Amino acid sequence: MSHDPQDLSQYSLLDLFRLEAGGQVRHLTEGLLRLESGAGEAAVLEGLMRAAHSIKGAAAIVGLEVVVELAHAMEDAFTAAQAGALELGPAGIDVLLGGVDLIAQVARLSEAALDDWKLAQRPRIDAAVAAMRTLGTLAAPAPRLPAGEPAPEAAPVAAPDAEPGAAAVAAAAAPTGAGAGSGADLLLALASETRVNAHKMEAFNTSLQRFKRQQAAMLQSLAQLHEAIAASGDARLLEQAAVVLARAQPLKPWLQQHMADAETHERRAVLVSSRLVDQVLALRMCPFSEGVHAFPRMVRDLARKLGKQVQLLIEGSDIPVDRAILARIESPLNHLLRNALDHGMEAPAERSAAGKPPLGTIRIAARHRGGMLAIEISDDGRGIDPERVRQAVVGRGLGSPAMAAALSQAELMEFLFLPGFSLKESVTEISGRGVGLDVVQQVVREHNGSVRVESRPGLSFRTAITLPLTQSIVRALVVQVQGEAYALPIAKVERVLRVAQDAVHTLENKQFFELDGAHYGLVAASQVLELGVPAPAAELAVVVLGTGAARYALVVDAIAGEQSLTVQSLDPLFGKLRNIAAGALLDDGSPVLLLDVPDLLLSIDKLLSTGTLHHPLHQGDGAADGAVAVRRILVVDDSLTVREMQRKLLAARGYRVDTAVDGMDGWNMLRAGDYDLLVTDIDMPRMDGIELVAMVRRDARVQALPVMIVSYKDRPEDRARGMDVGADYYLAKGSFHDTTLLDAVFDLIGPATP
């Protein structure tokens, strides 16, 4: 049975009050902090008045007199401030925030617990009301409230001025993790399966193109047979051949029409399924602000406790983030802010002496970058002196003085992520227990992210966190290892490159290559994954993983390209599989395992420590020049970018590739060379692709040469024109993928070497 999203009849008045109170508490907290910073006083006070009045009215309806008392006293203080009879300074803000905290506690209580709470907290409530009522006469610091439970952080709920819908009330009343989350996960799995099925149409359409080529060859043979029979003069056979030819001719336009229909269906299915996935993902997303709205209050209170003046600025509040990720990183961000306040920020006098403003600034900035979520936490405090880290490394027995002296600043910063590593000499309530960056790194790594820190001694400290936008969809690099597809999260990949045989060196029975002044140790993925010994190769496809001393070049058989994968958890029956994080489906529907990069790095360390690491490159196994024929391909395109991209892609698969800038240049090269395949664009100066293909089919020497057209023109009539002139394959650039081109080339001429 479906429910009207605006039907609130199923919720009690207390449920509705909880929802409204949560929003108003957040509004009051944010407004008071803005008021303290001196931003738009008149407008802020007006908003605070409305919030206090609204929560007072709602509390009166549900019979929560304690909230009515608190909100009424708060409203009186705002009225006095609006009239100019009260100037709210930090002490007054403290009093009002104390009242807000009490309202927040009431809003989270069940009816059964309410009476006991009011009895226990009555002295604190009376003190808060009295303090707010006497704010107008305050000339000294506000009276301290009786000790009680610590001020709670308001839970992220709906915006204060929003009309509460049934879904929002359900979310507020339901336990954490219940509600729409699990339903959205199920929808995402179904939507992803729909997208995979849509992409399967591409393979079907490719098979139709092959069938069309076979049909064209058959029709040509029938025409030749008809001509031979006509030359023989046998009237009976000629009549039968004419009948067969007439019956076969309608097959050509029939197939062309159905191919066009199938391609249209494919485009529509892919578009609809992709939009469906996007919409389901949107259900899991929320603004970045929902996870950090409580931080300004925390920073303000903690700074006052430490005797410091600090403001927190948040940028990118509207950036959409996966709710699951936001919930997990809230605690690490809290650690970073506390470290910045306690370790990094100086007292006002110290800042002034250093030529800095007394008010320090911490900044949290969120943005989307390269399909990832980038979060930066920076402050303009004292930073970290690398020499102190160097001394701590030696003092804690983590390295010798000589080793520590040789470490760069970036390498020294890596020690801050070690469990229990702290530069704080004494343990305090806030920091000094060695808890902080190691927790941050652990949580970020669990979500396929990365974290790094930078310090400018005396000036600033910055922590950069990179995470996937969602845990449901992972942008991954797909590779081939021993004939199987595996995926690596892009966030964990430092770079991808090919390494020639003569660039590989061996030292102490380990193979490595040098790039930009750094050494990269070579490790065969087939051995790490226990798939056997790698096959000999003259050139290596390499994926660089890890950072610092734990950076390795993982050797794979081939790089298939990037894909956005919908992550599917493995059956709990399997337990935790070594080196494997999850499963997924590729665009063609085939399964792929998502590799666990931290696990991979541990496995590599184990191979190194036991001395059982194989050599990925077997020196001398490469074929001698000229010993094996390599298939040659001519790429003709007037776009330098497209031309070079195709050349590099094909060359990486071992083909020998030449390029031409237009049809005329290509025709001259075809006549002078010996090629196994022609890949050409259509729109080019001097001679276009259609003319080039026509000339190829008319020339006896090259007319059997396989021809592929790669063009932005994707209309059925464009495809028909290309295929009718004699092309064997038509590939649209608009739907171009690395694997599509490579598969088509393999289909036409086979592998690079016969």
Side-chain angles (χ1 to χ4, degrees):
M1 177 178 175
S2 62
H3 294 281
D4 181 351
Q6 296 301 321
D7 180 14
L8 307 180
S9 59
Q10 57 186 310
Y11 303 105
S12 69
L13 288 177
L14 190 57
D15 286 335
L16 296 175
F17 171 78
R18 289 195 188 101
L19 176 68
E20 183 175 1
Q24 300 296 1
V25 161
R26 178 173 172 180
H27 187 68
L28 287 166
T29 301
E30 293 174 350
L32 286 168
L33 294 181
R34 289 182 62 198
L35 198 65
E36 187 176 38
S37 67
E41 183 172 336
V44 173
L45 280 171
E46 181 63 30
L48 289 169
M49 274 289 298
R50 286 199 306 269
H53 186 76
S54 296
I55 204 168
K56 182 177 73 173
I61 291 175
V62 295
L64 290 175
E65 289 302 323
V66 62
V67 176
V68 174
E69 289 181 61
L70 290 164
H72 185 72
M74 200 176 294
E75 194 177 9
D76 287 344
F78 294 144
T79 301
Q82 282 182 312
L86 169 63
E87 183 176 348
L88 286 172
I93 297 293
D94 278 343
V95 171
L96 291 166
L97 285 173
V100 173
D101 291 341
L102 288 168
I103 293 174
Q105 290 182 36
V106 175
R108 286 199 290 270
L109 292 172
S110 65
E111 285 189 81
L114 190 58
D115 289 339
D116 289 342
W117 182 88
K118 285 192 294 185
L119 184 62
Q121 296 294 325
R122 191 72 247 181
R124 190 173 176 219
I125 295 167
D126 292 341
V129 171
M132 285 188 284
R133 285 177 177 167
T134 57
L135 276 179
T137 60
L138 284 179
R144 185 176 298 274
L145 300 182
E149 56 188 281
E153 293 183 359
V157 291
D161 297 324
E163 182 67 22
V169 177
T176 302
S182 57
D185 290 344
L186 176 60
L187 283 175
L188 183 63
L190 295 173
S192 301
E193 185 176 345
T194 302
R195 185 172 66 174
V196 167
N197 289 331
H199 279 288
K200 285 184 178 180
M201 284 292 298
E202 182 179 357
F204 174 72
N205 289 336
T206 300
S207 67
L208 285 182
Q209 287 192 354
R210 280 196 293 266
F211 179 72
K212 183 183 178 182
R213 292 197 299 273
Q214 295 169 353
Q215 183 197 69
M218 181 198 70
L219 291 175
Q220 184 179 8
S221 298
L222 284 176
Q224 292 171 348
L225 178 62
H226 183 271
E227 292 175 0
I229 292 174
S232 70
D234 189 323
R236 185 176 62 83
L237 286 178
L238 181 61
E239 181 180 357
Q240 291 180 351
V243 171
V244 172
L245 193 61
R247 289 178 177 176
Q249 286 300 330
L251 296 178
K252 185 175 181 179
W254 182 90
L255 180 60
Q256 182 67 41
Q257 179 59 46
H258 282 70
M259 284 181 64
D261 291 343
E263 289 169 357
T264 300
H265 175 72
E266 176 200 346
R267 286 193 294 270
R268 289 176 178 171
V270 170
L271 176 63
V272 171
S273 62
S274 297
R275 290 177 60 187
L276 180 59
V277 170
D278 291 342
Q279 289 298 316
V280 175
L281 282 176
L283 295 176
R284 296 176 57 91
M285 309 299 274
C286 68
F288 181 68
S289 60
E290 288 202 11
V292 298
H293 71 85
F295 288 156
R297 168 77 185 277
M298 184 271 287
V299 169
R300 182 254 184 201
D301 290 350
L302 188 54
R304 285 173 59 79
K305 183 175 182 179
L306 294 170
K308 299 177 180 180
Q309 297 177 15
V310 183
Q311 63 175 343
L312 176 64
L313 303 180
I314 299 176
E315 300 174 359
S317 297
D318 297 331
I319 292 293
V321 184
D322 191 312
R323 295 177 189 274
I325 290 181
L326 200 55
R328 288 301 307 277
I329 66 172
E330 184 176 357
S331 179
L333 292 180
N334 193 306
H335 277 303
L336 292 172
L337 291 175
R338 287 177 173 270
N339 280 346
L341 283 163
D342 197 26
H343 289 272
M345 281 299 176
E346 312 95 331
E350 184 181 347
R351 291 181 62 85
S352 297
K356 297 181 179 180
L359 178 65
T361 300
I362 302 176
R363 192 182 308 272
I364 299 180
R367 61 178 60 87
H368 290 174
R369 180 187 297 157
M372 305 290 287
L373 171 66
I375 303 175
E376 290 187 0
I377 303 92
S378 59
D379 65 73
D380 62 354
R382 62 172 63 93
I384 291 180
D385 184 355
E387 293 308 314
R388 289 188 62 203
V389 181
R390 206 182 307 272
Q391 293 168 11
V393 169
V394 176
R396 295 172 185 272
L398 299 174
S400 65
M403 183 273 282
L407 293 173
S408 67
Q409 181 168 333
E411 290 170 331
L412 285 170
M413 291 297 108
E414 292 293 324
F415 281 91
L416 299 176
F417 293 107
L418 292 179
F421 190 92
S422 176
L423 299 178
K424 199 75 171 178
E425 296 178 356
S426 60
V427 175
T428 67
E429 180 184 350
I430 299 167
S431 65
R433 297 181 175 86
V435 177
L437 287 180
D438 60 315
V439 175
V440 174
Q441 186 179 61
Q442 178 184 353
V443 173
V444 170
R445 282 181 171 177
E446 287 173 357
H447 288 78
N448 293 317
S450 61
V451 57
R452 58 187 176 87
V453 295
E454 297 176 0
S455 177
R456 298 170 63 199
L459 297 175
S460 65
F461 188 80
R462 185 174 77 96
T463 304
I465 297 174
T466 303
L467 290 161
L469 288 178
T470 173
Q471 287 296 290
S472 305
I473 299 291
V474 172
R475 190 65 181 168
L477 179 72
V478 181
V479 300
Q480 291 287 331
V481 182
Q482 297 289 72
E484 297 288 339
Y486 292 89
L488 293 154
I490 285 293
K492 299 290 188 178
V493 176
E494 181 179 329
R495 63 197 309 171
V496 179
L497 63 158
R498 299 193 70 83
V499 179
Q501 177 173 333
D502 58 6
V504 177
H505 309 284
T506 303
L507 181 65
E508 296 181 351
N509 203 32
K510 297 182 180 69
Q511 289 188 333
F512 68 94
F513 66 94
E514 187 174 348
L515 182 66
D516 299 332
H519 289 176
Y520 295 83
L522 290 168
V523 181
S526 58
Q527 184 185 9
V528 180
L529 298 174
E530 300 179 358
L531 299 176
V533 179
E539 191 177 43
L540 304 179
V542 169
V543 180
V544 178
L545 305 173
T547 58
R551 179 189 286 122
Y552 302 103
L554 194 68
V555 179
V556 299
D557 297 342
I559 307 295
E562 292 185 28
Q563 285 195 28
S564 292
L565 302 178
T566 303
V567 177
Q568 304 286 344
S569 299
L570 298 178
D571 195 306
L573 177 67
F574 295 108
K576 173 64 177 82
L577 297 180
R578 187 170 54 184
N579 302 324
I580 305 299
L585 293 178
L586 298 176
D587 286 345
D588 62 2
S590 58
V592 64
L593 291 175
L594 188 69
L595 296 178
D596 186 329
V597 174
D599 255 18
L600 279 178
L601 297 176
L602 289 175
S603 296
I604 293 171
D605 285 339
K606 183 178 179 181
L607 290 172
L608 287 170
S609 63
T610 57
T612 56
L613 194 67
H614 296 152
H615 285 181
L617 179 63
H618 300 273
Q619 304 286 3
D621 286 341
D625 290 342
V628 178
V630 177
R631 289 192 168 94
R632 295 181 65 191
I633 300 175
L634 177 63
V635 172
V636 185
D637 200 303
D638 61 328
S639 167
L640 173 63
T641 303
V642 174
R643 192 167 65 240
E644 279 302 294
M645 183 272 296
Q646 293 180 9
R647 183 190 67 77
K648 291 179 179 178
L649 192 62
L650 294 168
R653 280 294 178 94
Y655 297 101
R656 182 177 170 186
V657 186
D658 295 327
T659 59
V661 298
D662 57 31
M664 184 63 70
D665 187 27
W667 175 241
N668 291 333
M669 293 182 68
L670 282 173
R671 290 188 297 175
D674 186 15
Y675 293 95
D676 297 286
L677 174 65
L678 168 65
V679 179
T680 180
D681 189 14
I682 290 183
D683 292 330
M684 296 181 292
R686 296 203 297 172
M687 180 189 292
D688 65 22
I690 298 296
E691 294 173 297
L692 175 60
V693 177
M695 293 188 70
V696 168
R697 293 297 178 239
R698 288 196 298 266
D699 189 282
R701 192 180 70 84
V702 295
Q703 66 181 190
L705 178 70
V707 176
M708 180 192 302
I709 292 178
V710 181
S711 172
Y712 281 112
K713 293 188 171 182
D714 194 23
R715 297 175 304 173
E717 53 267 35
D718 296 321
R719 290 175 173 264
R721 185 175 172 224
M723 301 302 286
D724 288 342
V725 80
D728 298 286
Y729 205 101
Y730 195 108
L731 183 62
K733 290 181 183 176
S735 59
F736 181 86
H737 295 287
D738 296 356
T739 53
T740 311
L741 176 66
L742 294 171
D743 290 346
V745 171
F746 186 90
D747 181 48
L748 289 173
I749 63 174
T753 55

